[in-house]
Amino acid sequence: MRLWSILVVIVCLMVLDVSAARNSVLPRTKKEAQRAFVVLLVQSKGVLLMVADKKSKGLHYQLPGGRVDEADFKQLGIKPDARTLVEEDMIKVARIAAAREIFEETGFTLEPEKLQYISAISEKIATNRKRNGYMRGTQLPSKLYFTAEIPYEQFLRQSVVLSSEHIGYVLEPNYRKVPDMIKDHSGGDNADAFKMLLRETGDKIVFQ
């Protein structure tokens, strides 16, 4: 009888361990998935914004970026496990995801190493959110923001090829207009993130 009880306990512990492992895998649901966004500056021209037209939002603008996929983890050989994932590895994975999203949305190739992570802004957006500010089971922001700057000549050399979810793009030369333009994207978080970026740079970055 005692042996049977021990076996039952062992089986229960194994089930709990499998369940915990399954729940720790990232990304999970679409709502909980990590996202990476890029403020891409095209020198002398402006900020790259994607144009989308959805039934729920109508015509609106977006920062390039999107969900972090399991394939992004696999590319770097990093386990998508909330129990062991560290910030440094998550940033590396998010860079891969951001570069991939830019390619998927525009056909534009950007080296992940050129993406600069904005730690303070990513953390601030996470703490400001009432829900899903952090990846469940971690202290890592669920939205990670990056910046990159490229010459206009380089932008011209790579023709923009739009994804099916976008109908166009703009290079907005006036930074101050951008937050209002992207206010309907990603629950308004991206607009808030851009405002923070403006405050950090003295609200004086306007392309000529």
Side-chain angles (χ1 to χ4, degrees), residues 156-168:
L156 288 178
R157 285 197 300 268
Q158 301 192 53
S159 300
V160 175
V161 180
L162 297 173
S163 67
S164 59
E165 63 178 302
H166 297 111
I167 62 173

Side-chain angles (χ1 to χ4, degrees), residues 50-62 164-168 180-186:
M50 309 308 298
V51 184
D53 189 4
K54 297 182 179 180
K55 290 183 179 180
S56 59
K57 300 178 182 179
L59 190 69
H60 65 288
Y61 299 89
Q62 303 177 346
S164 59
E165 63 178 302
H166 297 111
I167 62 173
D180 189 59
M181 293 173 71
I182 62 175
K183 63 183 179 181
D184 293 327
H185 186 210
S186 198

Side-chain angles (χ1 to χ4, degrees), residues 68-145:
V68 177
D69 294 336
E70 187 175 353
D72 300 319
F73 285 92
K74 289 182 178 180
Q75 184 172 334
L76 294 177
I78 295 174
K79 291 184 178 181
D81 191 326
R83 299 171 300 178
T84 58
L85 188 63
V86 297
E87 182 178 24
E88 182 180 358
D89 285 345
M90 188 63 241
I91 294 171
K92 291 179 181 178
V93 173
R95 275 199 179 95
I96 294 293
R100 172 184 54 75
E101 285 285 343
I102 288 178
F103 178 76
E104 291 177 356
E105 294 179 357
T106 68
F108 192 85
T109 301
L110 187 65
E111 297 176 7
E113 295 75 18
K114 291 186 176 181
L115 297 171
Q116 300 297 315
Y117 178 53
I118 318 173
S119 176
I121 290 178
S122 300
E123 184 66 32
K124 186 65 175 178
I125 292 296
T127 56
N128 285 350
R129 299 192 74 199
K130 293 181 179 179
R131 291 184 178 181
N132 300 322
Y134 293 90
M135 303 174 197
R136 182 155 55 94
T138 77
Q139 289 300 310
L140 304 173
S142 59
K143 294 182 180 180
L144 297 96
Y145 292 89

